[in-house]
Amino acid sequence: MRYLPHSEADRAHMLATIGVADAEALFAAVPPSALQLHALDLPRHSPELSVEAHMRRLAQANHAAGDGPFFLGAGAYRHHVPASVDHLIQRSEWLTAYTPYQPEISQGTLQMLFEFQTQVAHLTGMEVANASMYDGSTATAEAVLMAKRITRRNRVLLSGGLHPQYRDVVRSYLGEDEDLICLSPSPEGQGDILDRLDDRTAAIVIQTPDFFGHLRDLRRAADAAHAIGALLIVVVTEIVSLGLLEAPGALGADIVVAEGQSLGNALNFGGPYVGLLATRKSFVRQMPGRLCGETVDASGRRGFVLTLSTREQHIRREKATSNICTNSGLCALAFSIHLSLLGEAGLVRLARLNHERANTLADGLARLEGVRLLNGTFFNEMTIALPVPAAEVVEALAMRGIIAGLPVSRLLPGDPSVDNLLVLAATELTTDQDISALIEGLREALA
Amino acid sequence: MRYLPHSEADRAHMLATIGVADAEALFAAVPPSALQLHALDLPRHSPELSVEAHMRRLAQANHAAGDGPFFLGAGAYRHHVPASVDHLIQRSEWLTAYTPYQPEISQGTLQMLFEFQTQVAHLTGMEVANASMYDGSTATAEAVLMAKRITRRNRVLLSGGLHPQYRDVVRSYLGEDEDLICLSPSPEGQGDILDRLDDRTAAIVIQTPDFFGHLRDLRRAADAAHAIGALLIVVVTEIVSLGLLEAPGALGADIVVAEGQSLGNALNFGGPYVGLLATRKSFVRQMPGRLCGETVDASGRRGFVLTLSTREQHIRREKATSNICTNSGLCALAFSIHLSLLGEAGLVRLARLNHERANTLADGLARLEGVRLLNGTFFNEMTIALPVPAAEVVEALAMRGIIAGLPVSRLLPGDPSVDNLLVLAATELTTDQDISALIEGLREALA
Amino acid sequence: PDEPLLFEIGDREHSGVDLPEVEIGEDRLGGFGRRTSLDLAGLTEPEAMRHYVRLSRLNMSIDAGMYPLGSCTMKHNPRLNERMARLPGFADVHPLQPVSTVQGALAVMQQLSDWLMTLTNTAAVALSPKAGAHGELLGMMAIKAAQEARGEGHRRVVLVPESAHGTNPATAAFLGYSVRSIDARADGTVDVEAVKAALGPDVAGIMLTNPNTCGLFEPQVIEIADAVHAAGGFFYCDGANFNAIMGVVRPGDLGIDAMHINLHKTFSTPHGGGGPGAGPVVLSEALAPFAPLPFLRRNGDGLELVEHVEGEALGRITAFHGQMGMYVRALTYMLSHGGDGLAQAAKDAVLNANYIKARLEGTFSAPFGGQPCMHEVLFDDSFLEGTGVTTLDFAKALIDEGFHPMTMYFPLVVHGAMLIEPTESESLQTLDRFCDVMLELASAARAGDAERFTAAPHAAPRRRLDETRAARQPVLKWEEAEGRAEAAE
Amino acid sequence: PDEPLLFEIGDREHSGVDLPEVEIGEDRLGGFGRRTSLDLAGLTEPEAMRHYVRLSRLNMSIDAGMYPLGSCTMKHNPRLNERMARLPGFADVHPLQPVSTVQGALAVMQQLSDWLMTLTNTAAVALSPKAGAHGELLGMMAIKAAQEARGEGHRRVVLVPESAHGTNPATAAFLGYSVRSIDARADGTVDVEAVKAALGPDVAGIMLTNPNTCGLFEPQVIEIADAVHAAGGFFYCDGANFNAIMGVVRPGDLGIDAMHINLHKTFSTPHGGGGPGAGPVVLSEALAPFAPLPFLRRNGDGLELVEHVEGEALGRITAFHGQMGMYVRALTYMLSHGGDGLAQAAKDAVLNANYIKARLEGTFSAPFGGQPCMHEVLFDDSFLEGTGVTTLDFAKALIDEGFHPMTMYFPLVVHGAMLIEPTESESLQTLDRFCDVMLELASAARAGDAERFTAAPHAAPRRRLDETRAARQPVLKWEEAEGRAEAAE
């Protein structure tokens, strides 16, 4: 077997050295009733060429986003990642390195994480960022728990513009909790979470651009929250938007969490992605997750280590700020490389291009009879109301090779008021031809 | 521009340091009439995503071998290359390293070449091998020139079983030369080059398996050649065959040249490939190309260097054995990794599997009415005679997504005796379904 | 070799991505456009290539050498897995595409689930956890949900042996449980009597690692499971060490109710310098109804992804469907090995650990050495007594010999622990070289060559780092002033 | 760090490729089956990964540092090129598939040809040469064929300047020409009068590198071309230095008849440790009929590949159609840069060389320094006089500073030559660091720190190698005895 280095002769030599007759003797502590004597009902080992053929067949049973016009967003975005990013992250020294607990031989990973933390802090306008979370949704849940620890208050308000699955994750993390107030979905960008603030409120959670694509007023929310001693948690699911939108930190956010997938990472049917979490320096000891810090070595040379680990489970065990251990190191690397390649100039150009593409899409949609654009503001994503249920339209267009967007009913089933709503995104990969094909497809589907 | 590190400020600073007003001043030596003042009629620079889209469109305009049943060989073979091979050769330290002229910082490449030379020598049964040639065809031409230098004779006999394009390359390298005797193509494996041997003969060139798939008797050829003071040059275009066939060196070959593409390298529409050249130790100073040798460094540690370079153009200039400089380093690496992964046990299994697949193919073809198998012997390739011109049949099957093999007329046009001949290969990637589809397709095409 | 920081090389103008400057007629930003600087450094492509290639060379990696790391199963990462995960049909698929367009992706999930359930003899599997600790969280959430559904929400205590991974108590505490610690026996395993003594009506269950973190198979695991069940509790098994027993012992046969499986430990997805991982959780019949969303259901010829349900299911613990990229890699690995190969891998992993034990035992002290170990072998620091060399020093000296340090000071149950897990990926040649180095280092330590250890590593990109300074005066991001100061030096 | 040889790790049983053992009823081998051992060492995949990763780490690479190598244009190799070359539509296509199934491949060849002809203002291009030297061979074959067609086969002399690359005289000799050497002027360029003096009815042509190997643009190149043409000869231009002038000067405007273009120097395909390269040759109207097979022809909407022709064409110089993999990479690079970017790259390459010249000139002696250089700058060793340090020593000391040595002792026209070509890929930061290092080394040499140079490199994987021993007692492959002896040590 190609992954197992021992020959039978090697095994015999080793058993003799150990002084046992066979490998089974090494499993003597296993209760006989539990020892597997017969082969499990599983296929036997297989040549690489057969495995590859099998997996390719499965891959071909999917419609890839690049196979046709594509307008899905809703928390995961199709962007162009430079070829050098994927090449670099596949280097053995990045791909197959362990968690950098031994800093002397992990300076590559550690310096990269330090740079990543700096990039995330600059991008969000915050003072500190951690070395990554699993994804945007779990980072949001951790941020909520963090806010409760900081304020020692219990009530949390989730905006109606928060991604419904993010809301569900917060619910699961908090368990049954009457202090968790989830506002109704707000497809028109309406509704005001600020009315619900009171002195028991730990935090309000606002996503911008929100799930329906609207841009939300963070400054006003921060002022209101701070006035009553609550924190503002800002959620960003499309990180490219920060190339064009004001940094949440500059508008008063106390904790910013984000999904970083858009930079460096493929769609991957939902994972792995990379969660970002940034906050004020004064909250650093309540942060979950790994942190990398600068120091010096015994010769006085600059170096980096994982630090403040007294927050973490492997030191503090049940007193840790979170149970998180493995995070998204390689995805953070991809994010960091892509963002280094963009730089400030490139990210701004990319964001402008996304906005321009979305403008073109919005203008096209607005001209369609029977279709109403719900957004007064957006970055690269928007919601339209169709005269018929959106799910049917999406299914019909999929048959023609067009992935038209997200029918809101998929994430908010059982709410007839959203049945006709469709959320669509455009990115730098969206061509004029894609938009024409969509418009044409919608026109026919609605005829 | 993403590949150019200078900003305009950088350029201005550098021009000031140099003391010129603008970049044009640095081109003062160019005759004004030749200086390009206007932009050439070429597209302007383009984003990665646009270039990628353009190249993908071109790629999609080709039928890839993996898109359907595939039976082409004729000097280039479709084999399965383990994923680790391509991964490894893309490591920066292999991919972007220079020719190992500075051995202190090139031991990776040099040790690999030393291992490659050993592998090629063992595989061919010869005493020494060089560090690669461009491909099998140019290696054949170089071998012919080498034989002429060694024997100081002029006449060269090319077997009728030699790949027609290899024959053409030898012709080009030798120029107009009445001492170059090219025997007629021998689709039935007939014809005996040995009758033409005389004491002016420097070498006879025999390919096995030959262009039509027949296995040729090397021992008899070697004995006859040696008896009259000539050399035997053996050409192998399918290197996998040596897993199952006797080593040419064990049968008396003086020079063995081969195309190494089958191991580690993709079809690549014909290139880059990797030529192998192995010979007797006594001929080493007449070999073309780079050689890597073992030595020690100033601390006495084992190390490797390019050696015997007094044969080469950069030292000997017009007295060199060849003008070859750059060879096929990275393809040789891919070959060497693939062969290391196979090892003796794996190569034998691979060769057996190829032969078994070819047997199945031959048995299937033999049952087809109107089709005659010309081969009594073969490894993984064979020739059949059809009742109609083969080119038409191949074209018809291509329309159905089946690449049926090579119509001999493509390489030997104007020879009506070969018009109906088709050369087909099978490899480990040929499935029973592929063979059935071919047989069915042939049956219908011939009906 | 020093590599400057990104912010010391790049600046706000340089970029390695060419994109058109577009005209935007009227923006739709509602006045929320950016006014503050992004202050991001950019690199052209040649500069970026150098920076990340050079940085990478400061890292150790499994491709370059052995990681004898207990509890972390650093095995070979096949490159076929990487190639498969990058097929556009997997990598370029959006999680919210119509289900009719992602049947291949769902088939991957289904097949992976089938393998995991067969290997563990369990009733259900929740794929979505993003890592092992996330799987623990999910498993304990399922236990909590099941007990609340039974009206037993008052069970607020979780039993955790002393030797457990830190994630175990952290997870329990995260969900509001209090942790009751169970002592180990002198032989390093858990006593069923100690468990029974700790059980009671307030106990929700036990979190047990098996094989345990001392590298031993818990011989009374079935009795422990029975006792916990009899007391109305659930058995959460930490699956970090599943590599020792895959294909050889099915955890379901031991009575577990939930167990996470680290695809990045057991099923060869790469560690990536700290993730991404994936931590699917297998569940017993009793817990199956409390599996989180989403899950798969057969629907005629196709597969359906259940994303909403009324009733018992737990909700979701992450957006979308989990770590698809890791599922592809793990399934590719499983198909490559086959059931027979996985069992052989487990046996080789155990063989390798016992071979190291046999070769080192005369010199190193194995506190629980009277029995075969499983896939990892535990030594204490008694062989270093009086040398002035600590376990940490000894481990750092391994770096100079080309090996990653073993796991140190864990588990907490022995003094100066050294936990060594070679995995099945290491050849006899490598194991012998490792053992030779270990023995030579032990001789050197006892011969009084303390400087070799206390100042180690000598040959690494850095000497030992000042961790206290890092924690006392945290510098968590690059500050321009610092860069200037350094540049001026 | 030492890495054992493959044959010291692997053996005949181990394999990293799983394949079924098949039954072969009756073989068709006609008695030619193998009887002797293959004696090939095999490695399992984890062992192979380690071996080749560790070996690679003994190499310098352009991704890790600057190669200031004159005449070898080591520029950045974009990874987009690698990705494109691996698309199945390019990599998994057989050269002899029906032409109807490879229209995309032919379009790549057509587009690449168009770019090359536009950049050079020439009439035809032969793509098939496998490397620069192969292109030289083809170009000189075309010249020979053209003269034979004119009945001038008696022209048996080729003029070659002293400063030429070794491949030039080797190529001429390979085709049976005798070489007549042309001296350089004091300013490093070729004198049209010297060429005129050497011309005669026996002269087939001239092989000239422009910009030349002293890094200078030949100011009289047009006069030289005219003189050669007037004498009935052809002008072969060595295109190794095309990077200096692409998009800025079209060689066709200078009167060249044939010029090879190194796709692996000028158009960024990777060097790969010594190939594969690609050396397409552009041809003037006069030589176009002598282009070798195969070539492309438009045929209605599609492209036709001409593989056979009656009459003038040269035949073929390689099987199949040349280095398709390199064509894809080069075309991808051209499209990325565009015509504007290529010209900017040439200007930056020249700017970088002149910047180095300006920064070093006070300390280093530039023999032809009175004029701007092109993309490379030439120094001699007069600054080392009396230091006991040679050019070689000086170059090896660069290794310890993280740079590849410059080209040394070439061209032959100056004493102790150091030829430095930074290319356009190097940033100002890197150039400054390189210049700082060069100046510091020069100070050190003159301060008498000879040991730093004569024993250099100190920090590389190896000290200097004994090349004499390698050549006197050649060991060109691994012998088992040696392995045993080493193992016993």
Short mmCIF file of all heavy atoms in Angstrom, two decimals, chain A residues 188-190 206-218 238 241-242 244-246 355 375-381, chain C residues 27-34:
data_model
loop_
_atom_site.label_atom_id
_atom_site.label_comp_id
_atom_site.label_asym_id
_atom_site.label_seq_id
_atom_site.Cartn_x
_atom_site.Cartn_y
_atom_site.Cartn_z
N GLU A 188 -36.57 44.95 3.45
CA GLU A 188 -36.53 46.31 2.91
C GLU A 188 -35.48 47.15 3.63
O GLU A 188 -35.38 48.35 3.41
CB GLU A 188 -37.91 46.97 3.07
CG GLU A 188 -39.07 46.13 2.54
CD GLU A 188 -39.48 46.54 1.13
OE1 GLU A 188 -38.87 47.48 0.58
OE2 GLU A 188 -40.40 45.90 0.59
N GLY A 189 -34.72 46.51 4.52
CA GLY A 189 -33.73 47.28 5.27
C GLY A 189 -34.39 48.09 6.37
O GLY A 189 -33.81 48.98 6.98
N GLN A 190 -35.64 47.76 6.66
CA GLN A 190 -36.41 48.51 7.65
C GLN A 190 -36.15 47.97 9.05
O GLN A 190 -35.33 47.09 9.25
CB GLN A 190 -37.90 48.43 7.32
CG GLN A 190 -38.60 47.13 7.74
CD GLN A 190 -38.29 45.93 6.85
OE1 GLN A 190 -37.31 45.92 6.10
NE2 GLN A 190 -39.11 44.90 6.96
N ILE A 206 -25.19 43.70 14.28
CA ILE A 206 -25.66 44.26 13.02
C ILE A 206 -24.75 43.83 11.88
O ILE A 206 -23.54 43.96 11.98
CB ILE A 206 -25.69 45.81 13.11
CG1 ILE A 206 -26.74 46.23 14.15
CG2 ILE A 206 -25.97 46.43 11.74
CD1 ILE A 206 -26.93 47.72 14.23
N GLN A 207 -25.36 43.31 10.84
CA GLN A 207 -24.59 42.93 9.66
C GLN A 207 -24.69 44.02 8.61
O GLN A 207 -25.77 44.55 8.36
CB GLN A 207 -25.14 41.62 9.09
CG GLN A 207 -24.44 41.19 7.79
CD GLN A 207 -24.96 39.84 7.26
OE1 GLN A 207 -25.35 38.99 8.05
NE2 GLN A 207 -24.93 39.67 5.96
N THR A 208 -23.53 44.32 7.98
CA THR A 208 -23.55 45.29 6.87
C THR A 208 -22.45 44.96 5.89
O THR A 208 -21.33 44.68 6.33
CB THR A 208 -23.42 46.74 7.38
OG1 THR A 208 -23.63 47.64 6.28
CG2 THR A 208 -22.06 47.03 7.99
N PRO A 209 -22.68 44.92 4.59
CA PRO A 209 -23.99 44.90 3.96
C PRO A 209 -24.81 43.77 4.57
O PRO A 209 -24.26 42.71 4.83
CB PRO A 209 -23.67 44.60 2.49
CG PRO A 209 -22.24 44.98 2.30
CD PRO A 209 -21.60 44.79 3.62
N ASP A 210 -26.11 44.00 4.77
CA ASP A 210 -26.87 42.97 5.48
C ASP A 210 -27.27 41.85 4.54
O ASP A 210 -26.90 41.85 3.35
CB ASP A 210 -28.04 43.58 6.25
CG ASP A 210 -29.21 43.96 5.38
OD1 ASP A 210 -29.20 43.64 4.17
OD2 ASP A 210 -30.15 44.59 5.92
N PHE A 211 -27.98 40.87 5.09
CA PHE A 211 -28.30 39.69 4.32
C PHE A 211 -29.01 40.03 3.01
O PHE A 211 -28.87 39.34 2.01
CB PHE A 211 -29.16 38.74 5.16
CG PHE A 211 -29.62 37.53 4.44
CD1 PHE A 211 -28.71 36.56 4.05
CD2 PHE A 211 -30.97 37.36 4.11
CE1 PHE A 211 -29.14 35.43 3.35
CE2 PHE A 211 -31.39 36.23 3.42
CZ PHE A 211 -30.49 35.27 3.04
N PHE A 212 -29.79 41.12 3.03
CA PHE A 212 -30.54 41.50 1.83
C PHE A 212 -29.76 42.50 0.97
O PHE A 212 -30.26 42.96 -0.04
CB PHE A 212 -31.90 42.07 2.24
CG PHE A 212 -32.71 41.07 3.03
CD1 PHE A 212 -32.72 41.10 4.42
CD2 PHE A 212 -33.43 40.07 2.38
CE1 PHE A 212 -33.45 40.16 5.15
CE2 PHE A 212 -34.16 39.13 3.10
CZ PHE A 212 -34.17 39.18 4.49
N GLY A 213 -28.56 42.84 1.42
CA GLY A 213 -27.71 43.70 0.62
C GLY A 213 -27.67 45.15 1.06
O GLY A 213 -26.83 45.92 0.58
N HIS A 214 -28.55 45.53 1.97
CA HIS A 214 -28.61 46.94 2.41
C HIS A 214 -27.38 47.30 3.25
O HIS A 214 -26.88 46.49 4.01
CB HIS A 214 -29.85 47.18 3.28
CG HIS A 214 -31.12 46.76 2.62
ND1 HIS A 214 -31.74 47.50 1.66
CD2 HIS A 214 -31.87 45.64 2.79
CE1 HIS A 214 -32.84 46.87 1.25
NE2 HIS A 214 -32.94 45.73 1.92
N LEU A 215 -26.97 48.56 3.13
CA LEU A 215 -25.89 49.08 3.97
C LEU A 215 -26.54 49.70 5.22
O LEU A 215 -27.52 50.45 5.10
CB LEU A 215 -25.07 50.11 3.21
CG LEU A 215 -24.56 49.63 1.84
CD1 LEU A 215 -23.65 50.68 1.21
CD2 LEU A 215 -23.81 48.31 1.98
N ARG A 216 -26.02 49.38 6.39
CA ARG A 216 -26.65 49.84 7.63
C ARG A 216 -25.81 50.91 8.30
O ARG A 216 -24.59 50.97 8.15
CB ARG A 216 -26.85 48.64 8.57
CG ARG A 216 -27.55 47.44 7.94
CD ARG A 216 -28.95 47.75 7.38
NE ARG A 216 -29.91 48.03 8.40
CZ ARG A 216 -30.93 47.23 8.73
NH1 ARG A 216 -31.12 46.10 8.08
NH2 ARG A 216 -31.76 47.59 9.69
N ASP A 217 -26.48 51.74 9.07
CA ASP A 217 -25.84 52.89 9.69
C ASP A 217 -25.17 52.48 11.01
O ASP A 217 -25.83 52.35 12.05
CB ASP A 217 -26.89 53.99 9.95
CG ASP A 217 -26.25 55.29 10.41
OD1 ASP A 217 -25.08 55.26 10.86
OD2 ASP A 217 -26.92 56.33 10.31
N LEU A 218 -23.90 52.26 10.96
CA LEU A 218 -23.19 51.75 12.13
C LEU A 218 -22.95 52.84 13.17
O LEU A 218 -23.01 52.60 14.37
CB LEU A 218 -21.85 51.16 11.70
CG LEU A 218 -21.93 49.95 10.76
CD1 LEU A 218 -20.52 49.47 10.42
CD2 LEU A 218 -22.76 48.83 11.35
N GLU A 238 -19.19 39.85 3.43
CA GLU A 238 -18.47 40.08 2.17
C GLU A 238 -17.33 41.04 2.48
O GLU A 238 -17.49 42.27 2.50
CB GLU A 238 -19.42 40.62 1.11
CG GLU A 238 -18.78 41.14 -0.17
CD GLU A 238 -17.82 40.20 -0.86
OE1 GLU A 238 -16.77 39.88 -0.26
OE2 GLU A 238 -18.12 39.78 -2.01
N SER A 241 -16.20 44.22 0.59
CA SER A 241 -16.94 45.48 0.73
C SER A 241 -16.13 46.52 1.49
O SER A 241 -16.30 47.72 1.29
CB SER A 241 -18.28 45.23 1.44
OG SER A 241 -18.06 44.86 2.80
N LEU A 242 -15.22 46.08 2.36
CA LEU A 242 -14.46 47.05 3.15
C LEU A 242 -13.44 47.81 2.32
O LEU A 242 -12.82 48.75 2.81
CB LEU A 242 -13.79 46.35 4.34
CG LEU A 242 -14.79 45.88 5.41
CD1 LEU A 242 -14.08 45.21 6.57
CD2 LEU A 242 -15.63 47.05 5.91
N LEU A 244 -14.45 49.56 -0.04
CA LEU A 244 -15.22 50.72 -0.48
C LEU A 244 -16.02 51.34 0.67
O LEU A 244 -16.35 52.52 0.62
CB LEU A 244 -16.17 50.29 -1.61
CG LEU A 244 -16.61 51.32 -2.65
CD1 LEU A 244 -15.44 52.14 -3.15
CD2 LEU A 244 -17.27 50.59 -3.80
N LEU A 245 -16.31 50.54 1.69
CA LEU A 245 -17.14 51.03 2.79
C LEU A 245 -16.27 51.43 3.98
O LEU A 245 -15.20 50.86 4.20
CB LEU A 245 -18.12 49.95 3.24
CG LEU A 245 -19.13 49.52 2.17
CD1 LEU A 245 -20.03 48.42 2.72
CD2 LEU A 245 -19.96 50.72 1.72
N GLU A 246 -16.75 52.38 4.75
CA GLU A 246 -16.00 52.83 5.91
C GLU A 246 -15.76 51.67 6.88
O GLU A 246 -16.60 50.77 7.04
CB GLU A 246 -16.77 53.96 6.62
CG GLU A 246 -16.04 54.57 7.79
CD GLU A 246 -14.64 55.09 7.42
OE1 GLU A 246 -13.71 54.25 7.28
OE2 GLU A 246 -14.48 56.31 7.25
N HIS A 355 -18.71 46.87 -7.16
CA HIS A 355 -19.85 47.79 -7.04
C HIS A 355 -20.36 48.17 -8.43
O HIS A 355 -21.57 48.21 -8.67
CB HIS A 355 -19.42 49.02 -6.24
CG HIS A 355 -20.58 49.89 -5.84
ND1 HIS A 355 -21.69 49.41 -5.18
CD2 HIS A 355 -20.80 51.23 -6.01
CE1 HIS A 355 -22.54 50.39 -4.96
NE2 HIS A 355 -22.04 51.50 -5.45
N ASN A 375 -33.57 47.46 -2.80
CA ASN A 375 -32.45 48.16 -2.17
C ASN A 375 -32.32 49.60 -2.61
O ASN A 375 -32.28 49.89 -3.81
CB ASN A 375 -31.14 47.45 -2.52
CG ASN A 375 -31.09 46.05 -1.97
OD1 ASN A 375 -31.91 45.22 -2.33
ND2 ASN A 375 -30.16 45.83 -1.08
N GLY A 376 -32.18 50.48 -1.63
CA GLY A 376 -31.75 51.85 -1.91
C GLY A 376 -30.24 51.92 -1.89
O GLY A 376 -29.64 52.72 -2.60
N THR A 377 -29.65 51.09 -1.08
CA THR A 377 -28.18 51.01 -1.00
C THR A 377 -27.77 49.56 -1.15
O THR A 377 -28.53 48.64 -0.82
CB THR A 377 -27.66 51.50 0.37
OG1 THR A 377 -28.23 50.68 1.39
CG2 THR A 377 -28.00 52.96 0.61
N PHE A 378 -26.57 49.37 -1.66
CA PHE A 378 -25.98 48.02 -1.69
C PHE A 378 -24.51 48.14 -2.01
O PHE A 378 -24.04 49.20 -2.45
CB PHE A 378 -26.70 47.10 -2.69
CG PHE A 378 -26.71 47.61 -4.11
CD1 PHE A 378 -25.58 47.48 -4.94
CD2 PHE A 378 -27.84 48.21 -4.64
CE1 PHE A 378 -25.59 47.94 -6.24
CE2 PHE A 378 -27.84 48.69 -5.96
CZ PHE A 378 -26.72 48.55 -6.75
N PHE A 379 -23.78 47.05 -1.81
CA PHE A 379 -22.40 47.00 -2.26
C PHE A 379 -22.33 46.14 -3.52
O PHE A 379 -22.23 46.64 -4.62
CB PHE A 379 -21.46 46.46 -1.17
CG PHE A 379 -20.10 46.12 -1.70
CD1 PHE A 379 -19.30 47.11 -2.26
CD2 PHE A 379 -19.62 44.82 -1.70
CE1 PHE A 379 -18.05 46.82 -2.79
CE2 PHE A 379 -18.38 44.51 -2.23
CZ PHE A 379 -17.59 45.50 -2.78
N ASN A 380 -22.42 44.82 -3.38
CA ASN A 380 -22.43 43.97 -4.58
C ASN A 380 -23.58 42.96 -4.56
O ASN A 380 -23.56 42.00 -5.30
CB ASN A 380 -21.09 43.26 -4.79
CG ASN A 380 -20.81 42.20 -3.74
OD1 ASN A 380 -21.57 42.06 -2.78
ND2 ASN A 380 -19.71 41.46 -3.90
N GLU A 381 -24.56 43.19 -3.69
CA GLU A 381 -25.62 42.21 -3.52
C GLU A 381 -26.93 42.94 -3.28
O GLU A 381 -26.94 44.01 -2.66
CB GLU A 381 -25.29 41.31 -2.32
CG GLU A 381 -26.14 40.09 -2.20
CD GLU A 381 -25.46 39.01 -1.36
OE1 GLU A 381 -24.54 39.34 -0.61
OE2 GLU A 381 -25.86 37.84 -1.49
N ASP C 27 -22.87 56.17 -7.13
CA ASP C 27 -22.73 54.99 -6.26
C ASP C 27 -23.99 54.79 -5.44
O ASP C 27 -24.84 55.67 -5.32
CB ASP C 27 -21.46 55.08 -5.40
CG ASP C 27 -21.60 55.98 -4.20
OD1 ASP C 27 -22.62 55.86 -3.48
OD2 ASP C 27 -20.70 56.82 -3.97
N ARG C 28 -24.13 53.59 -4.93
CA ARG C 28 -25.32 53.24 -4.14
C ARG C 28 -24.90 53.01 -2.70
O ARG C 28 -25.43 52.13 -2.03
CB ARG C 28 -25.99 51.97 -4.69
CG ARG C 28 -26.07 51.89 -6.21
CD ARG C 28 -27.15 52.80 -6.78
NE ARG C 28 -27.15 52.69 -8.25
CZ ARG C 28 -28.04 51.97 -8.93
NH1 ARG C 28 -28.98 51.31 -8.31
NH2 ARG C 28 -27.96 51.90 -10.25
N LEU C 29 -23.91 53.74 -2.26
CA LEU C 29 -23.34 53.47 -0.94
C LEU C 29 -24.02 54.26 0.18
O LEU C 29 -23.70 54.10 1.35
CB LEU C 29 -21.84 53.77 -0.94
CG LEU C 29 -21.04 53.00 -2.00
CD1 LEU C 29 -19.57 53.40 -1.93
CD2 LEU C 29 -21.19 51.50 -1.82
N GLY C 30 -24.98 55.12 -0.18
CA GLY C 30 -25.78 55.81 0.82
C GLY C 30 -24.95 56.62 1.81
O GLY C 30 -25.32 56.77 2.98
N GLY C 31 -23.79 57.07 1.35
CA GLY C 31 -22.97 57.90 2.24
C GLY C 31 -22.09 57.11 3.19
O GLY C 31 -21.42 57.68 4.05
N PHE C 32 -22.09 55.79 3.05
CA PHE C 32 -21.26 54.96 3.95
C PHE C 32 -19.89 54.65 3.35
O PHE C 32 -19.18 53.77 3.83
CB PHE C 32 -21.99 53.67 4.32
CG PHE C 32 -23.30 53.90 5.03
CD1 PHE C 32 -24.49 53.45 4.49
CD2 PHE C 32 -23.33 54.59 6.24
CE1 PHE C 32 -25.70 53.67 5.14
CE2 PHE C 32 -24.54 54.82 6.90
CZ PHE C 32 -25.73 54.36 6.35
N GLY C 33 -19.54 55.34 2.28
CA GLY C 33 -18.24 55.10 1.64
C GLY C 33 -17.08 55.38 2.58
O GLY C 33 -17.19 56.13 3.56
N ARG C 34 -15.96 54.76 2.26
CA ARG C 34 -14.80 54.83 3.16
C ARG C 34 -14.16 56.21 3.13
O ARG C 34 -13.93 56.78 2.06
CB ARG C 34 -13.78 53.76 2.75
CG ARG C 34 -12.64 53.60 3.75
CD ARG C 34 -11.74 52.44 3.37
NE ARG C 34 -12.11 51.19 3.99
CZ ARG C 34 -11.64 50.77 5.17
NH1 ARG C 34 -10.79 51.52 5.85
NH2 ARG C 34 -12.01 49.62 5.67
#
